[in-house]
Structures are given as C-alpha cells and as structure tokens.
C-alpha cells in the first residue's frame, strides 16, 4: 500500500468516525433531533387523529341525517298513500318512486296483500335489496310494537344501523307505518363518504410526515445554533489544555452561551497570567540557583584547597594540629566536601533545566564501566556484580557513572550491603518479525535502536514505603520513617533520572518480593541511532498528516 493510499484510508476513516460521532445516540445533536421529532410526531398524530375523528363524525352524521330525513319523508308521503293491503305491483311501483328521491337510496317495502300473503317491493329488482340484507336485530326493532307512554307517543319508530359488506360501508334503516300498512327498509351506500375520509386520512398522514421532517430540520438548525458555540468552547478548552494559553473565544450576543464564552475568556486570561507569573518566578529561582552556584564555586575552591591541606595534616602522624581540635577539623573537611557536592549537583540541575546538558557519546563495555565506578569509590567489598563482559553500548560514560554512583550509593546508604548489581540485554522491537530471506544484515538494519541495556541495583534493606515510592525521584525529597535520614542533598536520584532521560532511557523504583528496594535502569544500546530513529519517525508522522 502506498503512502498516498494510506493517507486516503486514514482520511476516510477519520471522516467516518466524525460522522459516527455526530450520529451516535450519546450525541446531543441526535438526541435533540429525536426529542423534537417525537414531540412533533406526538403533536401531529394527536392533531390528525382528532381532526380525522371529528371530520368523520361530521361527514357521516350529516349524510346519515339527510338520508334518514328523506327516507322518513318518503315513507310518510308515498308509502303512507298505499292501501293497508297493497298488491306487489303497488309496492314495487312505490319503492321505485321512493328510490328516485334526492338521496338515491335503495328501498324495500314489505306488506300483506288482500289475500293475507306477504309481498315485497324492491327498487333494485328481484336480485336487488332483499330482507336478508337487513340485520336481524334491526328487523326485530322495526317490527316490535313499543308501549305507549307519556314519553313515547308512537308504537313504531325509525331505526338505523351501519354495516359493512365487501369492504363497503352501508347505512340500513327501517320503519313501520303507524296505524298499519307497509314496512319500509332503506339501504344507502356510504362509499363516497368513505373515499372522502380516506383522502382526508392520506392528507393528514402526509401533513404528519411533513411536520416530522420539518421538526427534524428545525431541531437540526436549533442544535447547530446551540452546539456550534459549545464545539468552539470544547476546541478552545482542548487548545488551552495543550498549553496554548492565548486561546480566546469570539463573543457575540447576550445569551447564556455568550456569558459562558466571556467566563471562559476571563478564566483563560487569569490562567495565562498565573502561569506567566509562575514561569517568571520559576525562571527567577532557577537563575538565582545558577548564579548562587557559580558564586559559591570561587570561595569553595579556596576553602576546598585549605581543607585538603588540613586533611593532609590530619593524616600526617607528626602533624602540628592540636588533638583537641582534630574533631572540629574533620567536621570542617566533611562538611566542605558535602557543600562542594551540593554546589556541583545544583549546577548540574540548572544545566538540565536550561536544556544545555549535552551527551558526549563513546562505545563502552557496560561491565567495565560499572566496575570502574565501584572501584573508584572503594565499594568492591560491599557490591556484588553480576555482569558479563561484552555488552557494549554507545552512551555517555561520565553520565552513566553519575547514574550508577547515585543508585549504588543510595542503596548502600539506605539498604545496606551487600548491594547486587546485575546487567542484561533486551532485544529491540525492530528485530521481531524479520523474514529469513533478509538475513542477519537485514535484521540489524531493521533494529535501529540495537536493543536495550537493563541494569538493576538491589539492596537488602527494609524496602521503600508505598507512600514514598511515587516521590523517590523528586528533588530535595527526603522523608521516610523506615529509613535513616539521609545526609545528602536530595538531588542524587533526580539527577540520575535526568541523565537517564537525556539518554532516552528510564529509571523505575520498586520493592523486591524477597525484600529490599530494586532500581531498574533501561538505556538504549545506541543513543545516537535511537535519536535519529525518533527524528525519522516524527518526520514520517508529519508527512502522513500532510497526505491525510
């Protein structure tokens, strides 16, 4: 895959993640759209349902009342003009006349002829509207004679019922002439009204869908209006967290979001001022320490020379120092050395803080370097060395000596002898997965760091308390109830860590399960190659970002 394709893939992946982040359910934008949509859907469905129900009842009631009035009128005028026992022809002719009314319904008349036989007259012909099409309950209600009371003056009334046949709604009504005569039934199709109501339902459904779409668009617009300032605030907060303290928001309007932007700007301004003040004070303190260290070196040089003469006099058997003041002279000599070490440590710290510390690299045998460090400080009897010769590294010998001196010296002071120092090698990450066809030269080229040298310094003391472990590398930190109070400056481990960092390495502190403290130093075998590899990686990352 080419770099261009990789950049395109990353761009597509980033765009897809951006879209998904905006559409995921935890997104405020999506939640606003969903809430707006649900509210609009509920309101639209409720309004449409009520409107449909009201219109349905209105349409059906209006049509029904008109048909029933017309049927009742026709029964009174035309069916009422029939004799008490009409013939079938008379019923048939009268039913046809009644069906020609303005409402155009189908009529069925039932009566007894002069021979006391039941005859029928239908406006729809022999295969038209028949008595079997009338619900039995309606027939019973029509033919049943009601009791005459003060509230009911007529024995027979007009009854109606809505039925559905073959998915078509109908209105069926029936009544019996008072005083004897024919019984009439009416059938009216409500299909036109049903079609009108169906069109109304479709219209209301479309209106509901449009309302839902409109609410989603309005919700999106409202979310954009609200979330854009919030997104700008989040971006500004991230920039502020990255150390860009001059980040400010553009304030427009007088609403709550504008007040939030003003509050953010005030907080950022106060933070920038506070950080600037702290940086100025920190710089002033560092400059003071550096100046003080340099100023102390001149008198210390003279004092050191005098103390060396005094020390020689003390060691000379026939010296001229009064035995009464020898303890005082020894104290002066030891304290002068301690002060000299403190000044040297302070100057080393100021070089790290100023970024002027530089490496002077050389190829060294790690085991020989550790042996030289131990021998120079007369620690041979108190230190056990477990290091095979032949482990070479390209590092700064002086700074490695400082690291080892501080770690071993700290172990001897606080843990007691014997102190065990072990050395081992760890292969670099680049050596993994190299094809056999590439050979040894290909594996070496794939591993620019050349692996790692691991040096462990372990003592046999009480160990480091858990609450002290996070602070063992802090400057001037000297607090432990389980260890004797150190007479050092509190800078040794801090300087050792800084020297490890400048090599691209690391130092960790822990307690051994078998007892005692363990300090582990990890250094790349070739510092120059590791630095060049990091620079190449940074350049490749920038190039990939540019392609994306």
């Amino acid at each position: 895959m080419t770099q261009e394709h990789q950049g395109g893939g990353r761009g597509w992946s980033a765009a897809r993640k951006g879209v998904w982040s905006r559409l995921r359910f935890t997104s405020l934008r999506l939640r606003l759209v969903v809430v707006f949509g649900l509210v609009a859907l509920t309101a639209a469905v409720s309004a449409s349902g009520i409107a449909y129900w009201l219109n349905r009842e209105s349409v059906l009631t209006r049509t029904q009342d008109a048909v029933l009035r017309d049927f009742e009128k026709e029964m009174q005028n035309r069916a009422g003009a029939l004799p008490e026992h009409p013939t079938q022809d008379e019923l048939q002719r009268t039913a046809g006349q009644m069906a020609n009314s303005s409402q155009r319904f189908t009529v069925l008349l039932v009566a007894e002829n002069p021979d006391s036989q039941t005859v029928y007259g239908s406006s729809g012909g022999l295969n038209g509207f028949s008595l079997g099409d009338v619900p039995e309950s309606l027939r019973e209600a029509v033919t049943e004679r009601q009791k005459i009371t003060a509230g009911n003056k007529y024995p027979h009334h007009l009854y109606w019922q809505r039925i559905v046949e073959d998915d078509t709604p109908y209105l069926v009504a029936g009544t019996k002439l008072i005083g004897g005569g024919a019984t009439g039934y009416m059938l009216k199709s409500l299909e036109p009204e049903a079609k009108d109501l169906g069109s109304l339902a479709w219209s209301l459904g479309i209106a509901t869908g449009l309302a839902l779409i409109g609410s989603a668009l309005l919700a999106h617009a409202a979310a954009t209006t609200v979330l854009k300032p919030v997104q700008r605030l989040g971006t500004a907060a991230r920039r502020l967290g990255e150390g860009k303290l001059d980040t400010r928001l553009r304030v427009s309007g007088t609403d709550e979001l504008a007040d939030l932007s003003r509050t953010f700007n005030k907080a950022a301004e106060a933070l920038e001022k506070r950080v600037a003040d702290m940086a100025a004070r920190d710089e002033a303190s560092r400059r003071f320490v550096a100046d003080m260290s340099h100023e102390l070196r001149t008198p210390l040089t003279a004092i050191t020379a005098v103390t060396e003469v005094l020390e020689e006099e003390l060691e000379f058997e026939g010296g001229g120092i009064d035995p009464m003041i020898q303890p005082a002279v020894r104290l002066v000599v030891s304290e002068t050395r301690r002060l000299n070490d403190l000044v040297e440590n302070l100057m080393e710290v100021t070089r790290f803080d100023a970024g002027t510390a530089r490496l002077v690299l050389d190829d060294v045998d790690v085991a020989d370097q550790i042996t030289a460090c131990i021998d120079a400080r007369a620690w041979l009897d108190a230190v056990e060395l477990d290091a095979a010769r032949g482990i070479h590294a390209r590092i700064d010998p002086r700074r490695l000596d400082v690291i080892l001196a501080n770690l071993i010296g700290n172990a001897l002071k606080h843990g007691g002898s014997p102190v065990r120092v072990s050395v081992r090698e760890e292969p670099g990450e680049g050596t993994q997965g190299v094809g056999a066809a590439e050979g040894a030269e290909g594996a070496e080229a794939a591993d620019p760091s050349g692996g790692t040298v691991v040096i462990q310094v372990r003592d046999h003391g009480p160990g480091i308390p858990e609450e002290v472990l996070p602070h063992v590398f802090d400057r001037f930190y000297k607090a432990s109830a389980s260890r004797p109070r150190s007479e050092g400056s509190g800078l040794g481990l801090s300087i050792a860590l800084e020297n490890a960092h400048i090599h691209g390495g690391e130092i960790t502190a822990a307690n051994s399960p078998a007892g005692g403290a363990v300090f582990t130093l990890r250094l790349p075998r070739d510092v120059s190659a590791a630095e060049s590899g990091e620079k190449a990686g940074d350049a490749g990352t920038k190039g990939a970002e540019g392609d994306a």
Side-chain angles (χ1 to χ4, degrees):
M1 181 180 289
T2 63
Q3 188 174 5
E4 181 180 357
H5 289 167
Q6 290 176 347
R10 282 192 295 268
W12 166 250
S13 177
R16 184 177 59 186
K17 289 181 179 179
V19 172
W20 174 247
S21 65
R22 290 193 295 270
L23 294 181
R24 67 182 188 275
F25 188 71
T26 55
S27 170
L28 182 59
R29 183 188 302 274
L30 181 59
R31 283 185 285 174
L32 284 174
V33 172
V34 170
V35 170
F36 269 71
L38 289 177
V39 171
L41 182 62
T42 303
V45 169
S46 301
S48 299
I50 294 173
Y52 178 79
W53 180 78
L54 291 176
N55 280 276
R56 179 178 181 276
E57 291 301 317
S58 176
V59 170
L60 293 179
T61 301
R62 183 171 62 251
T63 302
Q64 173 182 295
D65 291 345
V67 171
L68 292 178
R69 281 195 305 268
D70 196 22
F71 175 66
E72 188 175 16
K73 181 179 177 181
E74 291 295 327
M75 283 293 295
Q76 291 176 356
N77 294 337
R78 298 187 183 276
L82 289 172
E84 184 176 356
H85 298 284
T87 64
Q88 184 173 4
D89 293 338
E90 291 175 333
L91 287 178
Q92 190 72 31
R93 184 174 59 254
T94 301
Q97 293 174 349
M98 293 175 62
N100 290 329
S101 67
S102 60
Q103 296 299 324
R104 299 292 180 180
F105 42 72
T106 304
V107 177
L108 173 66
L109 296 178
V110 182
E112 291 184 355
N113 61 9
D115 297 333
S116 299
Q117 294 178 344
T118 302
V119 292
Y120 302 91
S122 174
S123 61
L126 295 177
N127 297 324
F129 183 36
S130 65
L131 196 63
D133 297 328
V134 181
E136 184 178 356
S137 59
L138 182 62
R139 294 200 305 266
E140 292 176 355
V142 169
T143 57
E144 183 180 1
R145 183 180 181 86
Q146 302 292 329
K147 184 178 180 181
I148 304 298
T149 61
N152 182 29
K153 299 180 180 181
Y154 304 103
H156 298 285
H157 296 278
L158 176 66
Y159 297 95
W160 59 270
Q161 186 175 345
R162 294 174 190 166
I163 63 173
V164 178
E165 293 287 343
D166 298 330
D167 297 330
T168 302
Y170 292 94
L171 175 65
V172 183
T175 187
K176 185 176 180 64
L177 290 175
I178 300 173
T183 301
Y185 295 97
M186 177 272 301
L187 179 67
K188 170 66 176 178
S189 174
L190 299 178
E191 186 175 4
E193 287 74 15
K195 291 182 178 179
D196 293 341
L197 291 175
S199 300
L200 176 62
W202 274 104
S203 300
L204 292 176
I206 294 173
T208 300
L210 293 176
L212 184 61
I213 295 173
S215 67
L217 295 176
L218 289 175
H220 180 73
T224 301
T225 304
V226 173
L227 294 180
K228 272 189 176 180
V230 176
Q231 291 174 349
R232 287 196 295 265
L233 181 62
T235 302
R238 284 191 293 271
R239 289 172 58 86
L240 200 66
E242 293 171 356
K244 300 175 183 178
L245 302 181
D246 58 342
T247 302
R248 298 292 185 274
L249 289 173
R250 182 172 53 85
V251 181
S252 60
T254 58
D255 56 5
E256 289 80 0
L257 292 174
D259 292 339
L260 181 61
S261 299
R262 293 189 187 93
T263 303
F264 175 85
N265 288 341
K266 291 179 181 177
E269 183 178 356
L271 180 62
E272 183 179 18
K273 186 176 182 300
R274 179 69 61 86
V275 171
D277 293 342
M278 293 177 63
R281 287 196 295 269
D282 187 54
E283 181 62 28
S285 64
R286 290 179 179 177
R287 189 165 50 249
F288 170 76
V289 172
D291 295 343
M292 182 189 68
S293 301
H294 283 87
E295 292 295 332
L296 286 175
R297 291 195 71 179
T298 302
L300 270 177
T301 302
I303 295 174
T304 302
V306 174
T307 55
E308 288 178 354
V309 174
L310 293 176
E311 189 176 13
E312 290 177 358
E313 290 292 332
L314 287 173
E315 294 175 355
F316 184 61
E317 295 181 358
I321 298 179
D322 190 341
M324 297 295 294
I325 63 172
Q326 284 185 7
V329 173
R330 295 184 187 278
L331 179 62
V332 170
V333 171
S334 63
E335 292 299 322
T336 300
R337 288 177 177 171
R338 182 182 175 193
L339 182 59
N340 192 50
D341 292 339
L342 176 60
V343 171
E344 291 295 331
N345 287 338
L346 288 175
M347 293 188 66
E348 186 74 5
V349 167
T350 57
R351 282 192 287 270
F352 282 122
D353 292 340
T356 59
R358 295 291 182 266
L359 294 175
V360 180
L361 300 179
D362 192 10
D363 292 325
V364 299
D365 187 302
V366 177
D368 290 343
Q369 188 70 22
I370 298 174
T371 302
C373 175
I374 297 173
D375 188 29
R377 292 162 180 81
W379 290 339
L380 290 175
D381 295 336
V383 177
E384 297 177 356
L385 179 59
D386 180 14
R389 296 186 179 277
I391 301 177
H392 292 273
R394 184 170 178 77
I395 54 180
D396 189 328
R398 185 186 69 85
R399 295 189 182 277
L400 178 59
D401 183 78
V402 172
I403 297 173
L404 295 173
N406 280 295
L407 294 181
I408 299 174
N410 181 77
L412 290 172
K413 287 180 183 178
H414 301 291
S417 59
V419 172
R420 183 176 180 81
V421 180
S422 59
V423 182
R424 71 175 188 273
E425 295 180 89
E426 288 184 353
E429 296 180 357
T431 59
Q432 302 297 327
V434 179
E438 297 179 3
E441 294 180 1
E444 184 178 354
D447 182 21
S449 66
T452 304
V453 176
V454 181
I455 303 174
Q456 280 191 339
V457 178
R458 176 189 169 190
D459 61 41
H460 292 78
I464 305 174
E466 292 298 328
E467 65 274 9
V468 177
L469 269 176
H471 306 285
V472 292
F473 296 105
D474 294 351
R475 293 178 182 177
F476 302 107
Y477 186 83
K478 296 186 298 181
S480 175
S482 62
R483 291 175 178 261
R485 186 178 183 274
S486 173
E487 296 180 356
S489 62
L491 292 172
L493 292 179
S494 174
I495 292 174
L497 183 63
E498 294 288 351
N499 279 301
H501 285 169
I502 200 174
H503 280 87
E506 185 60 58
I507 303 178
T508 58
N511 288 316
S512 173
V518 179
F519 286 84
T520 304
L521 168 65
R522 295 177 182 270
L523 294 177
R525 293 189 62 179
D526 191 346
V527 177
S528 58
E531 289 178 351
S532 62
E534 291 178 359
K535 292 179 180 179
D538 294 340
T541 302
K542 293 180 180 178
E545 290 176 355
D547 292 338

